[in-house]
Amino acid sequence: MEYTIKNQQLSVTVSDFGGELRSVRGGDGTEYLWQGDPRFWKDRAPNIFPYVARLTGEKYTLKGREYQMKIHGFVKYTTLELETQSEDSLTFVLKPDEEIKKQYPFDFIYRITYRLQQAALLIEHQVENLGEERMYFGIGGHPGFQVPLEQGLAFEDYQLKFSAPCRPWRVGFTPDCFLNGQDQEYPLKGGQAIPLRHSLFDQDAVVLKHADREVTLCSEKGSRGVTVTYPDFPYIGFWHKPETQAPYVCIEPWSSLPSRKGIQEDLSQQSDLICLEGHKTWESCWKIQIF
């Protein structure tokens, strides 16, 4: 089932399946969100929890037991319950059933709230640990945005521009998208921008660390764009389907990274995962602003 919230500047539709964004329209009707053409990518904006990207063999261990989990965790494959709805906000909730506990043996509550703030959409995450023991997780977003956003412009007319000069490093990945430990500095045009070209993604995602926490998809030839602000997330990924002319780009705030190549990770030992003590709550927020 889908739900819509709107104001004069923004109309947002969300599905209860995965709590996934389905539409982000400006006041003039412009659709900013990728609409899931299966020729390139059938999703639109999956939510990532409790593991970011790939596990070696789709498996991990915890306390000597082995568990299986698909890429980006189980939220994207699960129907969430609509908990609250108002004129400008929607909150969806997920509590684990037996099938989820086979994948992830914790007692928790996962919430995601979409909240309008003029021309911005706030995406608020909340994770409650209901158990006694520490839980480990990764979390993030995976929205795709249409490129170009205006008639007469091309994909190559756009850039991803950080709000301030920075010197990010690109996280090293193997061809099958696991960590290889070979991170390297990633130069930006003018110390601030990544000009878009389709071949940028021929080796899959570009994932950066030590970057500024705000980036804008924009064109000097156009007037429309999208700014994504992610103060609580140390990694940012950019992606479209490799070796295609896909007319979109994903901007992905990540809290953590995938498994190392050939290693079945123990969640309690993976240093970049969020560690949440028993009976505690973790919260974060990131933002999509259109213009």
Side-chain angles (χ1 to χ4, degrees), residues 143 145-147 149 155-164 166 168 186-197 200-201 206-208 211 214-220 225-228 230 236-240 248-252:
F145 300 102
Q146 313 245 36
V147 185
L149 284 164
F155 188 88
E156 292 79 9
D157 290 326
Y158 285 78
Q159 62 181 345
L160 294 160
K161 187 174 183 180
F162 290 100
S163 61
C166 54
Y186 191 78
L188 303 176
K189 182 179 179 181
Q192 209 163 345
I194 303 172
L196 286 186
R197 62 185 191 281
L200 187 68
F201 307 109
V206 175
V207 178
L208 304 180
E214 182 174 278
V215 66
T216 298
L217 170 66
C218 58
S219 171
E220 293 178 352
V226 179
T227 298
V228 178
Y230 44 99
I236 188 70
F238 306 115
W239 179 84
H240 78 32
Y248 69 91
V249 64
C250 291
I251 301 177
E252 308 177 36

Side-chain angles (χ1 to χ4, degrees), residues 11-174:
S11 176
V12 170
T13 299
V14 184
S15 171
D16 60 0
F17 187 72
E20 183 178 8
L21 279 170
R22 305 295 289 171
S23 176
V24 178
R25 288 187 179 272
D28 62 358
T30 299
E31 179 64 75
Y32 286 78
L33 194 72
W34 168 246
Q35 289 299 289
D37 184 339
R39 292 178 300 167
F40 299 108
W41 184 49
K42 66 180 179 61
D43 293 328
R44 302 189 191 188
N47 293 306
I48 300 171
F49 178 85
Y51 197 83
V52 175
R54 290 168 171 80
L55 288 157
T56 297
E58 295 190 341
K59 295 177 181 179
Y60 70 90
T61 61
L62 187 68
K63 292 189 171 181
R65 288 192 58 186
E66 184 178 88
Y67 298 88
Q68 189 157 359
M69 190 184 299
K70 293 180 181 179
I71 183 172
H72 291 318
F74 46 73
V75 165
K76 65 173 288 189
Y77 308 103
T78 306
T79 299
L80 278 58
E81 177 186 347
L82 179 67
E83 187 174 50
T84 61
Q85 180 177 9
S86 69
E87 288 186 2
D88 64 357
S89 72
L90 296 163
T91 297
F92 296 88
V93 64
L94 175 64
K95 301 175 184 178
D97 58 16
E98 289 307 309
E99 199 58 39
I100 286 175
K101 284 199 171 183
K102 290 177 184 176
Q103 303 176 59
Y104 189 66
F106 296 102
D107 290 315
F108 67 90
I109 300 175
Y110 166 93
R111 287 185 178 88
I112 183 166
T113 297
Y114 295 95
R115 192 182 311 279
L116 301 182
Q117 189 179 78
Q118 298 177 334
L121 174 65
L122 305 183
I123 299 100
E124 302 166 359
H125 296 284
Q126 184 188 78
V127 180
E128 289 185 55
N129 183 354
L130 302 180
E132 300 287 341
E133 298 183 356
R134 180 183 298 169
M135 65 182 285
Y136 308 90
F137 62 91
I139 200 164
H142 198 315
F145 300 102
Q146 313 245 36
V147 185
L149 284 164
E150 298 169 67
Q151 289 188 348
L153 297 185
F155 188 88
E156 292 79 9
D157 290 326
Y158 285 78
Q159 62 181 345
L160 294 160
K161 187 174 183 180
F162 290 100
S163 61
C166 54
R167 298 181 64 181
W169 282 63
R170 182 174 184 175
V171 178
F173 286 93
T174 62

